[in-house]
Structures are given as structure tokens and as C-alpha cells.
């Protein structure tokens, strides 16, 4: 069992930056592959970024590549999503996710076992 809590969402102007944090408790953080997903109103939840258990491998959706960076600090039991050059289309609820069964969860939500409650990111034009 693991609990995930996201922090850092808010309102930002287009072109601005935010850093999201995902704090994990209840289990060994390094045992989990981590990912970020987002869901905009009326749309399906979509993959944003993923990082392997050790942090050695990362992947990004094409829509955020070059603007977002996923990272993790296993000593702090925390994963991060640095979001730069934000656009109105980035507006969504952002969720962090943890997966036990694979080293790298990638784009597939079925690879993740635990989900945070989500944090709202709103980008104004």
C-alpha cells in the first residue's frame, strides 16, 4: 500500500512555469515506477511523463516534450514534474501514479497501481 499526494498546482499565465510534486508514503519509494497523467474537462485521461524506478529512463508525451521534465528524489520519497512554457491546452487535473509491477511504466495506465487525488493546473491566455 502506498499513498500519493500532489502539490504545486495553481493558476499561471501562458508561458509561465510550475513545478508539481508527488509525495509518497507507506512503502519503499524506490520500488515504484512513477508517472504523471492529466485529464481536461470532457476528455480522456492522457499520459504526460514517466520515469523508471531508478530514474535512469524517462519518457514524455509528444505534446509536452521539450517543455516538461520528470524527475525523482528517492531519498525524499518524491517525484516531480517541472512544467515550462505552459500553454492553455495544458489546463487539466494532473495525477501522479505509482507502479510496482514494471521497472518503467511508460504510457499505459494499467501499469500503475496507485494514484494521487490530483491537482488542478490552470493556464490563462
Amino acid at each position: 500500500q502506498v499513498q500519493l499526494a500532489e502539490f504545486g498546482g495553481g493558476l499561471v499565465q501562458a508561458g509561465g512555469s510550475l513545478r508539481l510534486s508527488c509525495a509518497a508514503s507507506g512503502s519503499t519509494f524506490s520500488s515504484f515506477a512513477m508517472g504523471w497523467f492529466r485529464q481536461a474537462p470532457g476528455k480522456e485521461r492522457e499520459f504526460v511523463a514517466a520515469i523508471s524506478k531508478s530514474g535512469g529512463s524517462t519518457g514524455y508525451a509528444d505534446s509536452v516534450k521539450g517543455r516538461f521534465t520528470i524527475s525523482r528524489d528517492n531519498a525524499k520519497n518524491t517525484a516531480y514534474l517541472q512544467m515550462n512554457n505552459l500553454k492553455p491546452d495544458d489546463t487539466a487535473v494532473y495525477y501522479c501514479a505509482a507502479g510496482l509491477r514494471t521497472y518503467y511504466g511508460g504510457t499505459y495506465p494499467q501499469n500503475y497501481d496507485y494514484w494521487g487525488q490530483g491537482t488542478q493546473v490552470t493556464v490563462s491566455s
Side-chain angles (χ1 to χ4, degrees), residues 17-39:
S17 297
L18 286 172
R19 173 174 280 197
L20 305 184
S21 300
C22 177
S25 62
S27 191
T28 303
F29 184 68
S30 61
S31 297
F32 294 93
M34 299 297 296
W36 288 94
F37 293 76
R38 67 187 183 187
Q39 187 167 22

mmCIF file of all heavy atoms in Angstrom, residues 17-39:
data_model
loop_
_atom_site.group_PDB
_atom_site.id
_atom_site.type_symbol
_atom_site.label_atom_id
_atom_site.label_comp_id
_atom_site.label_asym_id
_atom_site.label_seq_id
_atom_site.Cartn_x
_atom_site.Cartn_y
_atom_site.Cartn_z
ATOM 1 N N SER A 17 5.707 28.937 -15.642
ATOM 2 C CA SER A 17 6.197 27.639 -15.192
ATOM 3 C C SER A 17 5.571 27.246 -13.868
ATOM 4 O O SER A 17 5.203 28.101 -13.051
ATOM 5 C CB SER A 17 7.720 27.670 -15.016
ATOM 6 O OG SER A 17 8.382 27.924 -16.237
ATOM 7 N N LEU A 18 5.449 25.949 -13.664
ATOM 8 C CA LEU A 18 5.045 25.372 -12.393
ATOM 9 C C LEU A 18 5.842 24.106 -12.164
ATOM 10 O O LEU A 18 6.223 23.430 -13.113
ATOM 11 C CB LEU A 18 3.554 25.020 -12.374
ATOM 12 C CG LEU A 18 2.529 26.140 -12.267
ATOM 13 C CD1 LEU A 18 1.128 25.562 -12.459
ATOM 14 C CD2 LEU A 18 2.628 26.839 -10.924
ATOM 15 N N ARG A 19 6.071 23.785 -10.906
ATOM 16 C CA ARG A 19 6.654 22.502 -10.545
ATOM 17 C C ARG A 19 5.669 21.747 -9.665
ATOM 18 O O ARG A 19 5.284 22.222 -8.590
ATOM 19 C CB ARG A 19 7.979 22.651 -9.805
ATOM 20 C CG ARG A 19 8.514 21.317 -9.276
ATOM 21 C CD ARG A 19 9.896 21.425 -8.667
ATOM 22 N NE ARG A 19 10.918 21.444 -9.709
ATOM 23 C CZ ARG A 19 12.211 21.214 -9.479
ATOM 24 N NH1 ARG A 19 12.636 20.967 -8.248
ATOM 25 N NH2 ARG A 19 13.078 21.253 -10.480
ATOM 26 N N LEU A 20 5.256 20.570 -10.120
ATOM 27 C CA LEU A 20 4.397 19.701 -9.349
ATOM 28 C C LEU A 20 5.240 18.705 -8.567
ATOM 29 O O LEU A 20 6.255 18.224 -9.064
ATOM 30 C CB LEU A 20 3.427 18.940 -10.251
ATOM 31 C CG LEU A 20 2.539 19.773 -11.182
ATOM 32 C CD1 LEU A 20 1.579 18.864 -11.930
ATOM 33 C CD2 LEU A 20 1.788 20.844 -10.408
ATOM 34 N N SER A 21 4.807 18.405 -7.354
ATOM 35 C CA SER A 21 5.459 17.410 -6.524
ATOM 36 C C SER A 21 4.479 16.302 -6.196
ATOM 37 O O SER A 21 3.278 16.548 -6.047
ATOM 38 C CB SER A 21 5.968 18.026 -5.218
ATOM 39 O OG SER A 21 6.901 19.054 -5.462
ATOM 40 N N CYS A 22 4.984 15.099 -6.085
ATOM 41 C CA CYS A 22 4.189 13.943 -5.688
ATOM 42 C C CYS A 22 4.906 13.257 -4.545
ATOM 43 O O CYS A 22 5.943 12.625 -4.755
ATOM 44 C CB CYS A 22 3.993 12.986 -6.865
ATOM 45 S SG CYS A 22 3.094 11.478 -6.456
ATOM 46 N N ALA A 23 4.374 13.403 -3.351
ATOM 47 C CA ALA A 23 4.963 12.810 -2.161
ATOM 48 C C ALA A 23 4.319 11.462 -1.876
ATOM 49 O O ALA A 23 3.098 11.346 -1.844
ATOM 50 C CB ALA A 23 4.785 13.743 -0.962
ATOM 51 N N ALA A 24 5.158 10.451 -1.670
ATOM 52 C CA ALA A 24 4.693 9.094 -1.431
ATOM 53 C C ALA A 24 4.960 8.685 0.004
ATOM 54 O O ALA A 24 5.984 9.043 0.587
ATOM 55 C CB ALA A 24 5.370 8.118 -2.388
ATOM 56 N N SER A 25 4.052 7.922 0.559
ATOM 57 C CA SER A 25 4.221 7.380 1.899
ATOM 58 C C SER A 25 3.626 5.988 1.962
ATOM 59 O O SER A 25 2.779 5.623 1.146
ATOM 60 C CB SER A 25 3.568 8.279 2.947
ATOM 61 O OG SER A 25 2.164 8.373 2.731
ATOM 62 N N GLY A 26 4.083 5.201 2.922
ATOM 63 C CA GLY A 26 3.507 3.891 3.167
ATOM 64 C C GLY A 26 4.266 2.709 2.590
ATOM 65 O O GLY A 26 3.925 1.577 2.896
ATOM 66 N N SER A 27 5.275 2.960 1.762
ATOM 67 C CA SER A 27 6.049 1.890 1.166
ATOM 68 C C SER A 27 7.391 2.439 0.710
ATOM 69 O O SER A 27 7.654 3.641 0.824
ATOM 70 C CB SER A 27 5.290 1.241 0.007
ATOM 71 O OG SER A 27 5.922 0.050 -0.414
ATOM 72 N N THR A 28 8.229 1.573 0.166
ATOM 73 C CA THR A 28 9.548 1.975 -0.308
ATOM 74 C C THR A 28 9.415 2.640 -1.669
ATOM 75 O O THR A 28 9.053 1.998 -2.649
ATOM 76 C CB THR A 28 10.485 0.774 -0.390
ATOM 77 O OG1 THR A 28 10.573 0.143 0.889
ATOM 78 C CG2 THR A 28 11.877 1.210 -0.827
ATOM 79 N N PHE A 29 9.732 3.923 -1.730
ATOM 80 C CA PHE A 29 9.516 4.702 -2.934
ATOM 81 C C PHE A 29 10.296 4.158 -4.120
ATOM 82 O O PHE A 29 9.796 4.150 -5.253
ATOM 83 C CB PHE A 29 9.880 6.159 -2.663
ATOM 84 C CG PHE A 29 9.599 7.080 -3.808
ATOM 85 C CD1 PHE A 29 8.305 7.355 -4.198
ATOM 86 C CD2 PHE A 29 10.645 7.683 -4.491
ATOM 87 C CE1 PHE A 29 8.049 8.216 -5.253
ATOM 88 C CE2 PHE A 29 10.400 8.548 -5.544
ATOM 89 C CZ PHE A 29 9.094 8.812 -5.921
ATOM 90 N N SER A 30 11.518 3.701 -3.891
ATOM 91 C CA SER A 30 12.351 3.212 -4.979
ATOM 92 C C SER A 30 11.824 1.930 -5.604
ATOM 93 O O SER A 30 12.321 1.514 -6.655
ATOM 94 C CB SER A 30 13.789 3.000 -4.498
ATOM 95 O OG SER A 30 13.846 2.037 -3.461
ATOM 96 N N SER A 31 10.827 1.303 -5.000
ATOM 97 C CA SER A 31 10.210 0.110 -5.562
ATOM 98 C C SER A 31 9.195 0.420 -6.652
ATOM 99 O O SER A 31 8.664 -0.497 -7.276
ATOM 100 C CB SER A 31 9.522 -0.703 -4.460
ATOM 101 O OG SER A 31 10.459 -1.177 -3.511
ATOM 102 N N PHE A 32 8.907 1.705 -6.876
ATOM 103 C CA PHE A 32 7.836 2.118 -7.776
ATOM 104 C C PHE A 32 8.359 2.868 -8.985
ATOM 105 O O PHE A 32 9.145 3.802 -8.855
ATOM 106 C CB PHE A 32 6.841 3.014 -7.040
ATOM 107 C CG PHE A 32 6.091 2.320 -5.948
ATOM 108 C CD1 PHE A 32 6.555 2.347 -4.645
ATOM 109 C CD2 PHE A 32 4.916 1.644 -6.217
ATOM 110 C CE1 PHE A 32 5.865 1.710 -3.633
ATOM 111 C CE2 PHE A 32 4.213 1.001 -5.217
ATOM 112 C CZ PHE A 32 4.693 1.035 -3.921
ATOM 113 N N ALA A 33 7.885 2.445 -10.154
ATOM 114 C CA ALA A 33 7.946 3.313 -11.311
ATOM 115 C C ALA A 33 6.908 4.417 -11.126
ATOM 116 O O ALA A 33 5.841 4.181 -10.558
ATOM 117 C CB ALA A 33 7.654 2.527 -12.589
ATOM 118 N N MET A 34 7.209 5.624 -11.597
ATOM 119 C CA MET A 34 6.323 6.759 -11.396
ATOM 120 C C MET A 34 5.905 7.355 -12.725
ATOM 121 O O MET A 34 6.649 7.321 -13.711
ATOM 122 C CB MET A 34 6.999 7.833 -10.547
ATOM 123 C CG MET A 34 7.390 7.378 -9.146
ATOM 124 S SD MET A 34 5.965 6.911 -8.124
ATOM 125 C CE MET A 34 5.108 8.483 -8.001
ATOM 126 N N GLY A 35 4.719 7.918 -12.730
ATOM 127 C CA GLY A 35 4.227 8.577 -13.923
ATOM 128 C C GLY A 35 3.335 9.748 -13.583
ATOM 129 O O GLY A 35 2.837 9.873 -12.457
ATOM 130 N N TRP A 36 3.158 10.612 -14.563
ATOM 131 C CA TRP A 36 2.209 11.724 -14.473
ATOM 132 C C TRP A 36 1.209 11.610 -15.616
ATOM 133 O O TRP A 36 1.593 11.370 -16.771
ATOM 134 C CB TRP A 36 2.915 13.077 -14.551
ATOM 135 C CG TRP A 36 3.692 13.444 -13.330
ATOM 136 C CD1 TRP A 36 5.014 13.230 -13.101
ATOM 137 C CD2 TRP A 36 3.192 14.109 -12.170
ATOM 138 N NE1 TRP A 36 5.376 13.717 -11.870
ATOM 139 C CE2 TRP A 36 4.272 14.263 -11.272
ATOM 140 C CE3 TRP A 36 1.937 14.595 -11.795
ATOM 141 C CZ2 TRP A 36 4.129 14.882 -10.030
ATOM 142 C CZ3 TRP A 36 1.797 15.206 -10.559
ATOM 143 C CH2 TRP A 36 2.886 15.342 -9.694
ATOM 144 N N PHE A 37 -0.060 11.795 -15.289
ATOM 145 C CA PHE A 37 -1.148 11.822 -16.249
ATOM 146 C C PHE A 37 -1.968 13.081 -16.010
ATOM 147 O O PHE A 37 -1.880 13.698 -14.952
ATOM 148 C CB PHE A 37 -2.031 10.578 -16.117
ATOM 149 C CG PHE A 37 -1.343 9.293 -16.497
ATOM 150 C CD1 PHE A 37 -0.428 8.698 -15.650
ATOM 151 C CD2 PHE A 37 -1.621 8.678 -17.712
ATOM 152 C CE1 PHE A 37 0.210 7.516 -15.992
ATOM 153 C CE2 PHE A 37 -0.997 7.489 -18.074
ATOM 154 C CZ PHE A 37 -0.079 6.917 -17.214
ATOM 155 N N ARG A 38 -2.778 13.448 -16.987
ATOM 156 C CA ARG A 38 -3.645 14.606 -16.809
ATOM 157 C C ARG A 38 -4.987 14.358 -17.479
ATOM 158 O O ARG A 38 -5.104 13.559 -18.405
ATOM 159 C CB ARG A 38 -3.001 15.879 -17.360
ATOM 160 C CG ARG A 38 -2.829 15.896 -18.873
ATOM 161 C CD ARG A 38 -2.027 17.118 -19.306
ATOM 162 N NE ARG A 38 -1.902 17.203 -20.752
ATOM 163 C CZ ARG A 38 -1.148 18.100 -21.384
ATOM 164 N NH1 ARG A 38 -0.450 18.997 -20.675
ATOM 165 N NH2 ARG A 38 -1.099 18.111 -22.711
ATOM 166 N N GLN A 39 -5.995 15.078 -17.006
ATOM 167 C CA GLN A 39 -7.330 14.960 -17.560
ATOM 168 C C GLN A 39 -7.968 16.338 -17.611
ATOM 169 O O GLN A 39 -8.149 16.985 -16.585
ATOM 170 C CB GLN A 39 -8.188 14.006 -16.740
ATOM 171 C CG GLN A 39 -9.532 13.704 -17.371
ATOM 172 C CD GLN A 39 -10.231 12.528 -16.713
ATOM 173 O OE1 GLN A 39 -9.946 12.189 -15.560
ATOM 174 N NE2 GLN A 39 -11.132 11.899 -17.434
#
